[in-house]
């Protein structure tokens, strides 16, 4: 399999694992919101299997998405795309480290558990802010022959993701992820399909 198609698989698998992770958190509705981290901890301990499945799905999925970003930047072969990939990967890998912390929170006393969940939330916030910048850079780096709708989708996803970077400070910012998440996941699916279908698609 070519590196380009490997990047496409990484992108699609990363999106799928993020969807699985979110679905697994059905019994944990306060996840990644500063509104009531105590409730997040209590819900996680009441649904440990869901918490573990979600944490690992997020972690592996985020690493795969970082790989996708590197392959996309190589395919585009533009300086701005390289900058985008570095920002994209940095945020995703930081977040990937944090998404395992809810598992640790299951094993410790509540005081430490709350601290771990706050660390998770801060790392996720950083990722969302960096993701917004990266998506804007990637979209601006797309060549003229790339579909304009995909470029605009990436810009919309990036701009919408930027305020989610402040989710640690307010539940209102956290709620914006319900809009930003589907936008950037769709953008990655679209880019992954193009990577798979034709080496000349870019």
């Amino acid at each position: 399999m070519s590196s380009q198609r490997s990047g496409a698989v990484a992108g699609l698998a990363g999106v799928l694992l993020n969807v699985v992770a979110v679905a697994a958190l059905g019994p944990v509705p306060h996840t990644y919101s500063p509104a009531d981290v105590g409730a997040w901890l209590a819900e996680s301990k009441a649904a440990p299997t869901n918490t573990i499945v979600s944490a690992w799905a997020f972690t592996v999925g985020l690493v795969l998405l970082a790989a996708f970003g590197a392959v996309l930047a190589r395919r585009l072969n533009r300086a701005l795309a390289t900058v985008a990939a570095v920002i994209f990967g940095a945020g995703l890998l930081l977040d990937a480290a944090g998404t395992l912390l809810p598992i640790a929170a299951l094993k410790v006393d509540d005081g430490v558990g709350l601290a771990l969940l706050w660390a998770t939330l801060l790392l996720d916030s950083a990722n969302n802010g960096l993701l917004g910048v990266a998506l804007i850079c990637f979209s601006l780096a797309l060549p003229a022959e790339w579909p304009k709708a995909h470029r605009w989708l990436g810009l919309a996803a990036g701009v919408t993701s930027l305020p989610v970077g402040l989710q640690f400070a307010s539940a209102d910012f956290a709620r914006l992820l319900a809009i930003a998440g589907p936008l950037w996941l769709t953008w990655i699916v679209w880019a992954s399909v193009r990577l798979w279908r034709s080496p000349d698609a870019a």
Side-chain angles (χ1 to χ4, degrees):
M1 184 183 295
S2 68
S3 61
Q4 186 168 311
R5 287 197 162 184
S6 297
V9 171
L12 294 172
V15 168
L16 177 61
L17 284 170
N18 270 266
V19 172
V20 168
V22 171
L25 288 173
V28 192
H30 287 89
T31 301
Y32 292 102
S33 172
D36 194 342
V37 179
W40 176 8
L41 180 60
E43 292 161 359
S44 297
K45 290 189 172 183
T49 300
N50 295 72
T51 298
I52 292 169
V53 169
S54 176
W56 277 108
F58 269 136
T59 298
V60 176
L62 292 168
V63 171
L64 288 172
L65 290 180
F68 153 81
V71 173
L72 179 60
R74 181 181 177 188
R75 178 64 188 87
L76 296 176
N77 194 28
R78 293 186 171 195
L80 187 57
T82 300
V83 172
V86 171
I87 298 171
F88 190 72
L92 290 165
L93 294 178
L94 279 172
D95 203 9
T99 49
L100 286 177
L101 295 180
I103 298 177
L106 299 175
K107 308 295 183 181
V108 297
D109 64 61
D110 286 357
V112 176
L114 288 171
L116 290 171
L117 293 185
W118 270 108
T120 300
L121 180 58
L122 287 168
L123 290 171
D124 192 59
S125 298
N127 175 48
N128 281 298
L130 292 171
L131 179 66
V133 175
L135 287 170
I136 291 170
C137 291
F138 264 133
S139 297
L140 293 175
L142 296 178
E145 59 269 25
W146 198 278
K148 287 183 173 59
H150 191 243
R151 183 192 307 274
W152 284 108
L153 175 62
L155 291 172
V159 170
T160 309
S161 295
L162 288 175
V164 186
L166 298 173
Q167 71 186 93
F168 67 91
S170 169
D172 291 332
F173 291 119
R175 292 187 192 100
L176 290 174
L177 187 58
I179 300 171
L183 290 177
W184 65 259
L185 289 171
T186 301
W187 187 89
I188 289 172
V189 169
W190 193 343
S192 297
V193 170
R194 289 184 65 82
L195 284 176
W196 177 270
R197 291 178 62 182
S198 171
D200 299 320

